[in-house]
């Protein structure tokens, strides 16, 4: 009968796959932004609020959405590489 509550806040890197089309608009609708398109434009890496994960996972136009697990040092280097900061989300870059 115990209840466990884990607060979810912040932003994370997600791998998102659209069923029929690129998921850019869906990612934007949950407050995220596409960082890069992978060779198949339906597959992207995106930065989004952690609280958006369940919305992305339940979206009928997405085949897959999940966090990308990388260590903090590598994520920091990645964030600097793409110009990510707390105030401005990066623009999508073409493949």
């Amino acid at each position: 009968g115990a209840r466990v509550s884990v607060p979810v806040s912040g932003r994370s890197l997600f791998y998102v796959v659209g069923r029929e089309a690129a998921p850019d608009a869906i990612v934007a609708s949950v407050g995220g932004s596409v960082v890069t398109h992978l060779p198949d434009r339906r597959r992207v890496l995106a930065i989004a609020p952690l609280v958006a994960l369940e919305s992305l996972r339940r979206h009928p136009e997405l085949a897959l959405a999940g966090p990308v697990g990388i260590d903090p040092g590598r994520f920091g280097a990645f964030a600097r590489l793409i110009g990510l900061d707390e105030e401005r989300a990066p623009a999508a870059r073409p493949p």
Side-chain angles (χ1 to χ4, degrees), residues 21-93:
D24 301 50
I26 298 166
V27 169
S29 75
V30 297
S33 49
V34 171
V35 174
T36 191
H37 292 94
L38 300 173
D40 175 348
R41 298 215 25 103
R42 293 175 304 136
R43 300 172 188 270
V44 301
L45 290 177
I47 300 288
L50 288 170
V51 297
L53 179 58
E54 285 308 310
S55 293
L56 291 171
R57 284 186 170 162
R58 288 190 314 262
H59 199 287
E61 294 178 36
L62 296 180
L64 177 71
V68 174
I70 55 178
D71 68 64
R74 287 184 180 176
F75 183 78
F78 176 75
R80 287 188 298 279
L81 177 69
I82 65 167
L84 177 67
D85 60 35
E86 291 295 320
E87 309 223 352
R88 182 184 59 83
R93 296 182 182 160

